[in-house]
Amino acid sequence: MKSFLFLFLLLESVLAIAQEEITELELKNHIEFLSSDELKGRYPGTSENDTVVNYLVNDFSKHQISVLVQEFEAKKRKDNTIVSTYNVLGLIEGNDSSLKSEVIILGAHYDHLGIKGDSIYHGADDNASGVAALLEIAEKVKAHEKELKRSIIFIAFGAEEQGLLGSQFFVENPIVPLNNIKLMINMDMLGSLNEKSQVYMGGAGTFLGGVELMKSLGEPNELSPVVHAGSVGGSDHVSFYKKGISVLGIHTGGNENYHQPTDTIDTLNISGEVKVANYIYQALMEVATTRKELKFIQQD
Ligand SMILES: [Zn+2]
């Protein structure tokens, strides 16, 4: 069941220039596409799920980011049937001869709940918003890749809603030794920044200096981070934490549309998400460019 399906390396004939700024329009375009009726709630094993996978592969490739597609089998919660689905990985190598073997992962799940009855579960906040940030942060990192000491792997996980299956598959079949993964940052629901500009996170105490770093990046990004040292639970980063890897799980809070057909793009605060994406970009660059050791700290 483990296989790495396709290795796409810079296949796109049209070479787009990696763009530095993360814009509201770019985030909006990704979310609009991913949460559209046509994609029918991005359910594992459907042709619409495969359409999303192709979209992710194309977006990474367009910005000259090496892509790897990891196929795995997912058992669906609804009826216990098994379908094939995918993780999509984008890779940007670091430049420091000794630190480039160390890896920071930025992740976001792309799947959602599909259709129930007559209702499409659009999953705009959960988690088209996180995937949009993943693609735009990757593009920005690519524009700054010369600054990287450590390497970065961007992962769009499949089948999270079926029980963190994509991230579980990855940690059981990692493309680099798990020991080399120094931090996993997960984004799940970034589209609902509130009036107080509070961005929430757990796990900041699982790496040295994490709490201080995430607090310090609030003000320059006009955000009020609510930083928990522990409180790891919730999404794909848990799969990494269980393997003894430092993690940070970031979100902008739940709301009444959570896991409802009403989780649609019109309910989102996309200008707020620009700030959140830049905040995460800066955190990512800080850990990927520092010589400081990144060390796992157990929280309870
Ligand atoms: Zn989610």
Side-chain angles (χ1 to χ4, degrees):
M1 112 164 186
K2 71 170 158 178
S3 66
F4 305 121
L5 247 198
F6 315 111
L7 182 60
F8 293 89
L9 284 167
L10 318 180
L11 290 183
E12 288 280 306
S13 53
V14 180
L15 299 181
I17 302 299
Q19 190 197 330
E20 175 142 358
E21 292 315 315
I22 295 169
T23 67
E24 190 175 338
L25 181 65
E26 291 171 304
L27 291 175
K28 181 171 158 279
N29 287 341
H30 291 310
I31 297 169
E32 209 156 56
F33 172 74
L34 293 166
S35 65
S36 63
D37 284 354
E38 289 69 35
L39 290 182
K40 298 180 182 167
R42 308 186 302 280
Y43 198 57
T46 61
S47 65
E48 292 81 11
N49 188 89
D50 296 354
T51 301
V52 175
V53 169
N54 285 330
Y55 180 82
L56 299 168
V57 168
N58 286 336
D59 197 87
F60 281 134
S61 303
K62 195 165 78 184
H63 299 106
Q64 293 96 59
I65 296 169
S66 306
V67 183
L68 187 70
V69 176
Q70 208 178 30
E71 182 179 17
F72 64 97
E73 293 180 340
K75 187 193 262 189
K76 292 188 287 180
R77 271 183 167 151
K78 184 174 66 180
D79 54 11
N80 283 335
T81 58
I82 290 172
V83 293
S84 275
T85 189
Y86 309 90
N87 293 328
V88 182
L89 286 64
L91 322 161
I92 302 180
E93 226 180 309
N95 300 291
D96 184 88
S97 51
S98 60
L99 287 177
K100 66 192 271 186
S101 65
E102 297 189 0
V103 172
I104 314 296
I105 291 178
L106 184 67
H109 76 86
Y110 68 82
D111 67 300
H112 196 56
L113 300 169
I115 295 178
K116 295 182 200 171
D118 292 333
S119 301
I120 298 171
Y121 286 67
H122 297 87
D125 198 11
D126 186 10
N127 186 28
S129 66
V131 174
L134 183 78
L135 296 175
E136 291 309 310
I137 292 169
E139 185 184 341
K140 188 166 180 175
V141 170
K142 183 69 184 175
H144 290 262
E145 66 179 331
K146 290 198 174 74
E147 298 163 32
L148 297 177
K149 293 188 178 71
R150 298 186 169 88
S151 299
I152 300 180
I153 303 179
F154 302 89
I155 310 182
F157 292 107
E160 189 268 355
E161 305 283 10
Q162 307 303 317
L164 315 183
L165 301 185
S167 52
Q168 260 169 35
F169 181 83
F170 180 85
V171 298
E172 296 302 334
N173 303 275
I175 62 162
V176 296
L178 287 184
N179 277 340
N180 292 14
I181 302 174
K182 296 300 168 185
L183 175 63
M184 192 276 177
I185 303 175
N186 192 57
M187 305 176 289
D188 196 352
M189 301 172 67
L190 298 184
S192 300
L193 189 70
N194 63 20
E195 287 140 25
K196 292 179 182 162
S197 297
Q198 287 170 309
V199 54
Y200 306 93
M201 67 210 76
T206 64
F207 59 107
L208 217 54
V211 172
E212 297 74 13
L213 171 66
M214 298 318 294
K215 283 184 177 170
S216 73
L217 292 175
E219 209 183 291
N221 289 291
E222 301 170 346
L223 293 171
S224 303
V226 179
V227 182
H228 298 282
S231 306
V232 166
S235 183
D236 286 308
H237 52 294
V238 173
S239 302
F240 291 79
Y241 186 63
K242 283 182 177 163
K243 295 286 185 185
I245 295 167
S246 302
V247 295
L248 185 67
I250 304 184
H251 62 95
T252 50
N255 58 63
E256 68 281 3
N257 300 313
Y258 175 71
H259 284 195
Q260 299 298 325
T262 50
D263 179 2
T264 51
I265 188 166
D266 55 291
T267 67
L268 300 189
N269 175 359
I270 302 179
S271 60
E273 189 180 338
V274 174
K275 295 179 186 176
V276 177
N278 277 310
Y279 172 80
I280 295 167
Y281 167 80
Q282 286 175 12
L284 183 65
M285 289 303 283
E286 177 62 33
V287 292
T289 60
T290 181
R291 290 203 176 276
K292 272 186 235 159
E293 192 189 359
L294 294 168
K295 220 172 150 186
F296 176 69
I297 302 166
Q298 180 80 40
Q299 299 283 331
D300 31 58

